[in-house]
Amino acid sequence: MMRCDLCGTTAKCVQKEIEGKEFDICERCWQPLAEKLSGKGRLTETLEEMEEYEEMVF
């Protein structure tokens, strides 16, 4: 058991990396956050490929 970084309760948590930092987040806190973030963000692999392409072209 770990302590959730969002709500502070002791529960079974999953580790999530957000902006280069690791957080312990319980399922109760993670579900609403995951729903809110669904469909948002960027694919980092695509951005890296684009940057490599730009370096080759310019």
Side-chain angles (χ1 to χ4, degrees):
M1 293 285 190
M2 299 175 153
R3 178 158 288 184
C4 177
D5 290 327
L6 296 179
C7 68
T9 60
T10 302
K12 186 176 181 181
C13 298
V14 293
Q15 288 186 335
K16 296 290 180 179
E17 185 177 331
I18 302 171
E19 294 184 354
K21 299 177 184 176
E22 285 189 4
F23 295 90
D24 298 321
I25 303 175
C26 70
E27 188 66 26
R28 192 177 91 210
C29 291
W30 177 247
Q31 284 298 347
L33 184 59
E35 289 174 12
K36 191 179 260 189
L37 295 174
S38 178
K40 297 183 181 344
R42 299 177 290 224
L43 297 174
T44 55
E45 295 165 326
T46 304
L47 289 177
E48 290 172 4
E49 290 173 2
M50 288 174 52
E51 289 172 356
E52 289 176 10
Y53 175 75
E54 288 175 356
E55 289 175 3
M56 291 172 38
V57 173
F58 297 106

